[in-house]
Amino acid sequence: MPPDRPTTERSDDALADAAGGDHTDERPSDPRRTIVPTAMAVAVGATALAMLAREYATYRAERDAAYARVDPADHRVAATPVGDVEYRDRGAGTPVLVSHGIVGGCDQAVQIGRSFVDDARIVAPSRFGYLGSAIPTYPSPAAQSRAFAGLLDELGIDDAVVLGTSAGAPAAIRFALAFPERTRALVLLAAATPGDREGPTGPPTPLLRDPVFWLLRSRAPRLLRRLFGISRSDWRTAAPADRDRVDALFETLFPVEPRRDGTAIDADVTNPHVVDHADDYDPADVAAPTLVVHAEDDPLAPHEDAARFADRAPNAALRTYRTGGHLVFGHGDDVRDTVTAFANAPADWLAANADANNPTL
């Protein structure tokens, strides 16, 4: 009987080696290695979802409040020869018809009127395509001026001071040219006037959606102010009243979707028209007393165009500010006092300021 041979226990490693398999020294995993990162990821995800939910709830609440502010029930509608015009009629005193700027509406027109004219009756239409105003076949500034005349007829107003700002200025100029007997005076504030300029004529289309514009207005106001030419340092050092005026104006840019058609008209028709058909806006033919208010650093409407318009108009004065951008920011009280005095007595104001016709402040 052969002697017993010593037995050798073969480990799992040896079996693996015999099978030709690769071997790594595997140890029982520590549950904390997977549980902790997973828990952290879940916590971060939950926090992000909660933040998004709060942001969305805030957006919904502010959007609903904004739509309530432009509820048609709060507006009136005038039937004019070129279509229905939605409008607001506020205050008492000298009638001032406000032709608002791009991304505007009758709510913006009221805000502009209240910011820059005291003791006045503010007639505030929405221009073509804005909020509840109709769009004619060709929504030119000349057609818009006829809509303004129809609105004054509806209200029984024989004549008015016409204040045009930004992209609303071409229609205001056309009104003064077509209806001189109904134009007490013309005020052009940061106005788009005839000139030779290139570049964008309106905001990028992707911005004109409520969620996008809400983010810009509510979460990136510094960028929005910068687009209008207001620097961070100017904003910090400005008087609270000036900052309040800008905040109130920005409120009238939202909701943006009911303003998209009007914005497209301004970008595609109004702003190009005042450049391509400059002869239709000849300042030499404007008989009404005219006040032009503009900032030298306006990034959207060149100051040199406004200065040239004031220089060529037969009965005009230019009020220039070195700073302020497109909103003539930081000079609100002075602008309001100037426009109010001019609107109440245009001829007297021009005569009193004849020797200082072009002050730069």
Side-chain angles (χ1 to χ4, degrees):
M1 184 174 183
D4 292 338
R5 295 180 179 178
T7 60
T8 303
E9 293 183 1
R10 302 181 67 186
S11 69
D12 290 340
D13 291 347
L15 291 173
D17 291 340
D22 294 334
H23 167 67
T24 57
D25 184 16
E26 296 182 358
R27 298 178 181 177
S29 61
D30 185 346
R32 290 174 297 181
R33 293 184 179 181
T34 56
I35 292 175
V36 172
T38 301
M40 291 179 63
V42 170
V44 170
T47 301
L49 287 174
M51 291 176 61
L52 286 174
R54 284 196 298 270
E55 283 289 273
Y56 183 67
T58 301
Y59 160 70
R60 286 286 301 268
E62 293 187 7
R63 183 199 63 183
D64 293 348
Y67 273 93
R69 288 196 299 271
V70 297
D71 190 324
D74 190 36
H75 305 168
R76 301 177 185 176
V77 176
T80 79
V82 287
D84 288 348
V85 173
E86 182 186 56
Y87 71 95
R88 293 183 182 181
D89 184 7
R90 299 287 189 270
T94 301
V96 177
L97 188 149
V98 179
S99 184
H100 64 77
I102 199 168
V103 198
C106 57
D107 56 337
Q108 185 182 109
V110 169
Q111 182 58 42
I112 291 168
R114 287 176 170 171
S115 293
F116 296 113
V117 195
D118 284 335
D119 302 323
R121 177 183 180 182
I122 305 300
V123 179
S126 293
R127 294 192 291 109
F128 293 144
Y130 285 103
L131 302 181
S133 286
I135 303 174
T137 303
Y138 182 53
S140 67
Q144 183 67 80
S145 73
R146 294 195 294 274
F148 290 163
L151 173 57
L152 294 182
D153 289 341
E154 174 87 3
L155 296 175
I157 298 174
D158 293 331
D159 53 37
V161 174
V162 182
L163 190 161
T165 182
S166 192
I173 296 169
R174 287 300 308 163
F175 184 91
L177 291 168
F179 304 98
E181 74 285 354
R182 307 193 71 171
T183 309
R184 291 192 188 188
L186 175 65
V187 179
L188 300 178
L189 177 62
T193 47
D196 183 15
R197 55 186 177 274
E198 299 178 357
T201 56
T205 301
L207 288 181
L208 302 179
R209 297 191 178 279
D210 286 342
V212 177
F213 209 86
W214 176 81
L215 284 171
L216 178 63
R217 183 185 64 86
S218 299
R219 299 298 180 257
R222 185 183 303 168
L223 175 58
L224 186 59
R225 293 193 296 264
R226 190 62 185 166
L227 293 174
F228 284 87
I230 301 174
S231 70
R232 185 187 305 183
S233 60
D234 287 345
W235 182 259
R236 282 200 308 264
T237 59
D242 281 320
R243 292 198 295 265
D244 290 345
R245 287 188 189 98
V246 171
D247 288 339
L249 180 66
F250 284 173
E251 284 292 319
T252 68
L253 303 178
F254 185 74
V256 72
E257 290 184 15
R259 310 173 203 269
R260 290 177 65 184
D261 289 343
T263 301
I265 290 170
D266 280 342
D268 297 338
V269 179
T270 307
N271 287 332
H273 195 275
V274 76
V275 174
D276 298 338
H277 302 275
D279 290 346
D280 291 348
Y281 306 89
D282 191 345
D285 295 331
V286 176
T290 301
L291 173 64
V292 179
V293 179
H294 218 95
E296 289 181 347
D297 63 349
D298 189 327
L300 303 180
H303 174 266
E304 56 268 27
D305 293 345
R308 184 168 51 249
F309 190 96
D311 185 59
R312 294 190 57 211
N315 196 19
L318 173 67
R319 189 98 166 159
T320 293
Y321 297 88
R322 291 189 177 89
T323 62
H326 194 55
L327 303 179
V328 200
F329 176 69
H331 312 286
D333 288 347
D334 186 75
V335 174
R336 187 190 64 245
D337 292 344
T338 299
V339 173
T340 299
F342 175 77
N344 287 326
D348 292 344
W349 189 92
L350 287 175
N353 290 273
D355 294 334
N357 198 29
N358 294 286
T360 300
L361 305 177

